[in-house]
Structure formats: C-alpha cells, structure tokens
Amino acid sequence: MSRLRFTSGFDGRRASIRRRLRRHGGDREAAPQAGTRSEARVRPAGVLAALLVFGLSSACRPAPDGPRPTPIPADGEGLDAASVAPEPGLEVRRPADRAGYDIAHYLLELDLSRPASGRFDAVATLRGDVAAGADRVDLDFIGLEVGSVLLDGAPAEFGRGGSVLTVGPFEPSADVTEREIRIEYGGAPENGLFFGEDRDGEPAVFADNWPNRARWWFPSNDHPLDKATARFEVLAPEGFEVIANGRLVEARPGAEGGTTWVWETDPGAPIPSYTMVVGMARFERRALGEAGCGLSPAAPPDPGGGEACADVSVWALAGDGDYGAERFGRAPDMLDYYGELIGPYPYEKLAHVESSTRFGGMENSSAIFYGRGGWEERRMGEGVIAHETAHQWFGDAVSPASWSHLWVSEGFASYFSPLYFEARDGVEAFRSLMSNSREVAVGSDVVGQAIVDSSSNQLFDLLNRNNYQKGAWVLHMLRGQLGDEAFFRGIRDYYARHLHGVALTADVRAAFEAASGQELGWFFDQWVHGPGHPQLEIEWGPEGSELMVSIRQVQPAEWPTFTLDLEFEVEGGGADGRRATVRMEARETTLRIPGAAAAEGLVFDPDVSVLATAEMRRR
C-alpha cells in the first residue's frame, strides 16, 4: 500500500533531537490571546500523574466533573483555530478546514526512556495527500516544542498558534500530491499522554485521547473523518514493556540502552486518531487465548496453515495479573460472539490493558484501556468489557463522521453489550439490563434534547445519556419494529458498507430500510432527531365483559407525538397471562381486552420493549 519507505534510525537521533529542542525550547510559541485562558504553562510531573489515574467501571466515558468552557456555536463561524486558546474537548475546526491534507499514515517515534522526568522526545512522520492548489498544511498540535519540520526531506517553514501547527507556505501543485511531513518535537505534555506511577511507585506512561486530545502529544488530523494507519517505535527503559495498536513487529535493543518496541497497524485497517495509543509500564501479561478464528483477516497467518485467529490478552499493572485473567475470562468469547453476529473482527489482536484512562474504559483499536481503579478495587464489571469490545466494530471500525452523531458509536456499544448477555445468560438478564438502561434514559438531564445535537462544540457534553442509553433503546425498538432477521441483516450490511470508514445517522437508516423494505423516516424523526420520549397516563378498568384501557401521551407539547406499539399483560381474573397490543399514533387511544373484565392487575410492556414512562391507575 505504501509508496514511501520509512526507516528506523530513531535510536541514534535522540541526541540531535534534544539539541534542537533545547535550541528552540523555552516558552510555548502560542501566546495567550486577549480574553482567553492561557495554556502556555507546563504542569509538574506529579500533577500529570494524578490527572487521569482513576476511571469508573460502570460506563465507557462519563462526562467529567467540574466547570466547562463556554460552549462555542457548532458551526464555528467567525472562529480561528490559530487564535483560540485550546481546551480539552473543545473543537473549533470545521471538517472543511481539514481538507488540505488527507493523512494516510503516521510513524511515531517516541523516546520514553526518562519517564520520571515527565518529558519525552519524538519524531512524527506523516504521509498523505495535499489538496490541489494548497500552499500550506494545518495540523492539530498543542503545546510541545518543535525542533524542526521537513517537507519531503527538505527544511520547511512552520508556525504555531492556538491549537494549530502550520507547515508552509510552500509551492502549490495543480494536482493532489502525496507529501511527507517530518516533525521533531518534545517536552512535557499537558494532556493526551500522561506520566505517572503504578502502585509500587514504578513509572507508567499512557495515552488517553478521546475525543480530541491526541493533538497534545502528536501532530495530527485529530478528527474521526481522517483515519490512517500507524506505526509506533517506542524506546522504553530496560524491564518495561510497551503496548500499542496493531501487531508487535519487534522488540529490539535501543542504541543507547533500553528496548525499542515496534507496533504496526494493518495496512488495510486505518483507525481514527482518538484510538491511536501507547502504554508503557512493568506489565503482568496474561494470555487469554485465541478468538475470531477464520473471522480475523488482519490477524497474523497461522504458521501451520490453519485459520488466522486474533490473540486476546490482559496487560495488568503490578499485582493485578491474576485478577485480570479471571475477570476477563469471557473476553475471547465476546470477540467470537460479535464476530459471528456483526462481521469479521477488524484488527490484529485484542489487548485489555490496565491504564490511567480517565474513563471506565476506552475502546482504543485492538488495545482497550481501562481505568486502574476498577482493577485495584476488584470491581471491574463484565458490562464494560462487553461494551468496549463491541466498540471495536462500532466506534473504531465504523466511526461517527460527525461528533454530533456520536450515538452511532456509543448507542451501538451500549446495546450490543446487553445483547451478549442475552445470548449467553438468557433473556431475563437482557431485560434486566435494558430496564435499568431505560430508567437512566428517561431520567436524564438531556431528555429535552434530540440525540443528534450540534448546539455545542464542547465534545465532552456529548457524553450524555442520549448518546448512550437512549441510543441503545433506538436500536432495541428498531429490532422490535423490524424483527430479528431484518434487524441483524441491516446491522451486518451497515457494518460491511462502512467498514474502516465513517457513518452518520442517515447511513444507519438507509441500511435498515434496505434490509426491511420499510420506510423509517418517521421512526428516526421522532426517536433520534426529536427530543424526549412518550410519557403515558394509563387508566384501566372493567366495561361490560371487557377490560377497557385508556392511554394518553402527556409529554410536553414541544416533544413529538410518538407512534409506537404498546403491549399489556393481564394478571388474574380468569385471564391471567393474556396479552394485547395497540398501535398508538395520536395523543390518546383506547384498547379493549375481551373477557378480561375481572383482571386483578395490568402489566405495561412486559417484555421491556418500549422507551416510555407509564403512570398506571385503576378505575
């Protein structure tokens, strides 16, 4: 695939890089702007160690606590990324601003041999296509000192400001041109890459990128639209190991001591920058076995000529290896289940890594990072493991084309996690999980917003219950609307069509419409593009020989009048267990259940199929 050859002379260049960084070091080049908070400071290593040490095991990415920056309008009109003080999660560059350089491959050479210093040296070599007529390239990059920039091997002009590193100006070409940009840089990162310690006081370094924090430790197109392959060459001190995306190519002695670990992603499986990670520690590794045999095309070939399988493993910090092996015992089976249900596993291996992510789990492609608190306190739940594993298909291999459509990542993972437990532990386990999910969704503080919401550029605001629990319920109700056969056919077709690419809500709808032959605009309008959910008042009582059920939708007028199928189950009175269904298309409707006038009770939604609240009253 690659037309450029990347050499591996990083070990011998570290002294040169350090000299250049010292020459260009000092204060940050991006001066604080009037009226904005300065980012031109370096946190002490001890503060960095404490920033993102603990995560929650109950969810993938809960919204962070504390004050948020003032939201910037989503269209970004009138904003200049070069003059806006960077904030984690704040996105001011529109997709159109990124069209000048389509990155195909990253080579990241990282010197982590002095982890106690909280600093690192690096070389990033980016290969990609520069648009016709472009005379410069803008990259997302914040804070670290730049020693030199080469364009196709020759020194290039560059400038810094806000959250952007500009390479150029250079002579434009009339055609799209493949060009290589090589950047020497380093320093103490303020975000994205974190230097800390394990419980024994040994150094540990972990990347944690979501949603747009990769730019704090390597220059990038830091948006899911621009996926790329990656190679990591990481120099670690003796006795330390490095985990990263892709397959392990080699672990060779460093030129000045230590070991250089080389990881490389599959050339046919580009990944978004927010899932490109490295981790370095004194790991306790445990093999969990092989999975996805015959359904893992990126996995290394079997030397014996058998089916290629993905290796599944645990990389735990000191003292947690045995616990990780026990807690992740079903991890290979999860990969098998999703591979058979959705489509082939997209990556080379799957490592479950104890790390310092701020989140309960972070679905980095082929190397999932989990917050260390859940390991040390022995409270890791299988739900988060299934959730992050499902993300390898939805979120990683098929990513949201726009952050405002995050539900195509989080909603899918939040539904496919309970699906695993339905398949392995039974329907009652699944219904219990979906019932809990419903309680969270209807009680959320964003219930009055649509799932697809582009009102803010503060991306952490998207870590809400609409994109997680309500998104899961959208899929669950689609399954009920279409039936299992059409629903899962739509899932498989959607995944295959957008594999290693991106998708929007319209793509989800198109896949289910094609699979079912149904027009689903009404469904997506009310559940995804509209706010709220049905709030039902239900009165029931005898009328002659029948049980009369009166149903009203009483949600706010600005919420949709929902079209939905409602099911009830009779308790006692000679009709115990009898069920009846009604389609509700207006604010009020009536259901009559013959022969059930003596009912002692009435159960709403016995199979946990509808996202709604119901206040039941007996006449």
Side-chain angles (χ1 to χ4, degrees), residues 14 26 33 60 89 94 137 150 192 270 317 334 351 423 426 428 457 539 568:
R14 287 183 297 146
Q33 304 298 313
C60 178
R94 294 165 294 185
V137 167
L150 302 181
L317 297 178
M334 292 176 185
E428 290 307 316
N457 272 26
E539 291 187 349
F568 297 86

Side-chain angles (χ1 to χ4, degrees), residues 6 66 94 102 160 176 182 230 271 283 316 327 397 453 589-590:
F6 292 89
R94 294 165 294 185
D102 182 7
R160 303 293 297 277
V176 174
R182 180 181 180 276
I271 61 178
F283 288 110
R327 180 71 288 191
D453 177 19
T589 194
T590 299

Side-chain angles (χ1 to χ4, degrees), residues 401-445:
S402 167
W403 286 117
S404 61
H405 293 250
L406 184 63
W407 84 277
V408 306
S409 171
E410 296 301 346
F412 275 66
S414 296
Y415 187 56
F416 276 78
S417 174
L419 283 178
Y420 172 79
F421 298 103
E422 180 183 31
R424 296 299 188 256
D425 300 338
V427 68
E428 290 307 316
F430 170 77
R431 289 175 181 167
S432 177
L433 290 169
M434 292 307 297
S435 180
N436 291 338
S437 175
R438 178 167 62 188
E439 290 300 311
V440 172
V442 300
S444 83
D445 57 358

Side-chain angles (χ1 to χ4, degrees), residues 82-104:
S83 64
V84 175
E87 291 277 1
L90 188 65
E91 186 56 75
V92 298
R93 294 183 69 195
R94 294 165 294 185
D97 298 330
R98 304 173 182 278
Y101 193 41
D102 182 7
I103 300 175

Side-chain angles (χ1 to χ4, degrees), residues 225-237:
L225 273 173
D226 194 10
K227 291 186 170 182
T229 55
R231 180 181 173 98
F232 306 88
E233 300 188 5
V234 184
L235 179 62

Side-chain angles (χ1 to χ4, degrees), residues 44-353:
V47 176
L48 289 169
L51 276 175
L52 300 183
V53 168
F54 295 103
L56 302 176
S57 62
S58 59
C60 178
R61 281 189 293 277
D65 295 329
R68 307 276 180 82
T70 301
I72 289 178
D75 59 13
E77 190 171 346
L79 295 173
D80 179 1
S83 64
V84 175
E87 291 277 1
L90 188 65
E91 186 56 75
V92 298
R93 294 183 69 195
R94 294 165 294 185
D97 298 330
R98 304 173 182 278
Y101 193 41
D102 182 7
I103 300 175
H105 184 77
Y106 294 86
L107 169 60
L108 300 179
E109 300 169 279
L110 310 174
D111 179 358
L112 301 182
S113 62
R114 298 165 294 134
S117 72
R119 301 177 64 88
F120 75 112
D121 300 318
V123 176
T125 305
L126 284 54
R127 174 173 49 82
D129 290 336
V130 174
D135 67 350
R136 68 191 63 220
V137 167
D138 285 341
L139 298 170
D140 296 304
F141 193 51
I142 297 175
L144 296 169
E145 299 96 350
V146 174
S148 70
V149 176
L150 302 181
L151 180 64
D152 295 332
E157 294 184 47
F158 66 93
R160 303 293 297 277
S163 59
V164 170
L165 167 66
T166 297
V167 179
F170 48 77
E171 189 66 28
S173 171
D175 301 312
V176 174
T177 307
E178 184 179 75
R179 310 201 72 166
E180 178 184 279
I181 299 174
R182 180 181 180 276
I183 302 161
E184 293 185 354
Y185 65 98
E190 293 189 37
N191 215 306
L193 187 68
F194 297 92
F195 291 76
E197 297 178 345
D198 66 16
R199 70 171 75 181
D200 292 337
E202 292 282 1
V205 182
F206 290 100
D208 193 33
N209 296 343
W210 198 95
N212 60 354
R213 293 181 292 141
R215 64 191 68 181
W216 262 271
W217 65 279
F218 68 93
S220 58
N221 258 347
D222 199 10
H223 191 283
L225 273 173
D226 194 10
K227 291 186 170 182
T229 55
R231 180 181 173 98
F232 306 88
E233 300 188 5
V234 184
L235 179 62
E238 199 63 45
F240 287 77
E241 295 180 300
V242 173
I243 183 67
N245 312 99
R247 67 182 181 91
L248 180 62
V249 177
E250 63 174 333
R252 63 171 184 264
E256 302 176 21
T259 302
T260 296
W261 295 74
V262 182
W263 292 86
E264 189 169 53
T265 65
D266 185 78
I271 61 178
S273 58
Y274 74 83
T275 72
M276 295 180 182
V277 292
V278 297
M280 186 191 79
R282 293 189 185 274
F283 288 110
E284 294 183 2
R285 274 200 268 175
R286 300 288 188 273
L288 297 176
E290 295 181 333
C293 296
L295 289 172
S296 300
D302 178 27
E307 294 179 321
C309 305
D311 285 327
V312 184
S313 60
V314 161
W315 295 57
L317 297 178
D320 294 335
D322 291 341
Y323 170 75
E326 180 275 325
R327 180 71 288 191
F328 286 82
R330 289 208 286 185
D333 184 57
M334 292 176 185
L335 191 152
D336 281 334
Y337 171 73
Y338 293 130
E340 294 166 1
L341 182 67
I342 303 165
Y345 177 65
Y347 304 119
E348 303 83 348
K349 55 99 176 44
L350 185 55
H352 297 274
V353 184

